[in-house]
Amino acid sequence: MKCPNCGSENVTVQVVSESDLKRKHHSIFWWIFIGWYWVPIKWIIFTIPALIVKIFAPKRQKIKTIHKSMAVCQSCGHKWEIKDK
């Protein structure tokens, strides 16, 4: 493998993992039509059950992991992503 910048063959390849945290949340329409009255009612009437649900319910988050192959030229320091064919 040759560096596209300097033409050197002194290149190392490694796998890089990138993690991205995605949060699931309600849309603006939910808050306009339902949320503005449901959340206060829920906390006033169902305080203890709501706290229990808040503690033990699974989090509304998802982690997305992407694996990429990156090459780095040891001569000039140029780095680029290797595309899978």
Side-chain angles (χ1 to χ4, degrees):
M1 181 180 293
K2 286 188 174 185
C3 174
N5 194 23
C6 68
S8 172
E9 291 190 8
N10 189 10
V11 175
T12 59
V13 178
Q14 52 189 307
V15 176
V16 178
S17 298
E18 293 179 354
S19 298
D20 188 21
L21 182 64
K22 300 283 184 182
R23 297 189 66 195
K24 296 181 181 178
H25 53 83
H26 295 291
S27 68
I28 188 71
F29 296 112
W30 186 88
W31 285 105
I32 291 171
F33 294 115
I34 299 170
W36 68 271
Y37 68 85
W38 170 245
V39 174
I41 289 172
K42 182 180 79 170
W43 282 105
I44 291 170
I45 297 173
F46 306 113
T47 302
I48 301 300
L51 287 173
I52 292 171
V53 168
K54 191 79 168 170
I55 291 170
F56 293 110
K59 302 294 182 220
R60 297 169 54 106
Q61 298 174 346
K62 182 179 180 183
I63 297 177
K64 183 178 180 183
T65 304
I66 300 171
H67 303 288
K68 297 192 274 188
S69 296
M70 297 292 289
V72 179
C73 178
Q74 299 299 310
S75 299
C76 67
H78 178 69
K79 58 185 174 187
W80 67 97
E81 181 178 349
I82 300 174
K83 305 287 183 189
D84 293 332
K85 293 182 181 180

